[in-house]
Amino acid sequence: VQLQASGGGLVQAGGSLRLSCAASGRTFSSYAIGWFRQAPGKEREFVAAISWSGGSTYYGDSVKGRFTISRDNAKNAVYLQTSSLKPEDTAVYYCAQSTIVAGPPDPKHFDGARYWGKGTLVTVSS
């Protein structure tokens, strides 16, 4: 499995971006996919995750109500729609595949995740 995040860029506070995670491999639709981010000098932070079917989602407290995760298994893609962006959202955003087949979007299921995409940088100016 290969994952590739894209869609990052420079945006003013209050703006929005749509991030995409494109995947190769036939098993993509069998796993929950998560978005994480890492700001300079900070630890990696869980952002959002979506179940294999798209029926369940889970968000980190810092993005709840502002970000929306979705997926299109026919296109092997997961999306993260961001809105009301804040300077503190500035980070490199990564997508990852859960370690549990057909599992729920539980952040713990990404511990030790084997498959991570190359990140995409989101910069929010004040």
Side-chain angles (χ1 to χ4, degrees), residues 98-122:
S98 170
T99 58
I100 309 296
V101 175
D106 188 333
K108 296 185 183 66
H109 291 174
F110 294 89
D111 292 343
R114 181 177 178 183
Y115 300 108
W116 289 85
K118 290 184 179 179
T120 186
L121 175 62
V122 172

Side-chain angles (χ1 to χ4, degrees), residues 77-116:
V78 170
Y79 307 101
L80 185 69
Q81 180 66 52
T82 70
S83 63
S84 302
L85 284 164
K86 306 174 183 179
E88 50 264 44
D89 293 318
T90 294
V92 177
Y93 285 69
Y94 301 89
C95 53
Q97 180 175 287
S98 170
T99 58
I100 309 296
V101 175
D106 188 333
K108 296 185 183 66
H109 291 174
F110 294 89
D111 292 343
R114 181 177 178 183
Y115 300 108
W116 289 85

Side-chain angles (χ1 to χ4, degrees), residues 35-61:
W35 283 97
F36 294 78
R37 66 187 183 186
Q38 188 164 21
K42 294 189 176 181
E43 293 187 353
R44 188 173 64 205
E45 176 189 14
F46 170 77
V47 175
I50 188 166
S51 63
W52 64 276
S53 66
S56 299
T57 57
Y58 189 84
Y59 295 92
D61 288 341

Side-chain angles (χ1 to χ4, degrees), residues 10-23:
L10 174 63
V11 63
Q12 288 189 332
S16 61
L17 285 172
R18 188 193 195 206
L19 307 185
S20 298
C21 176

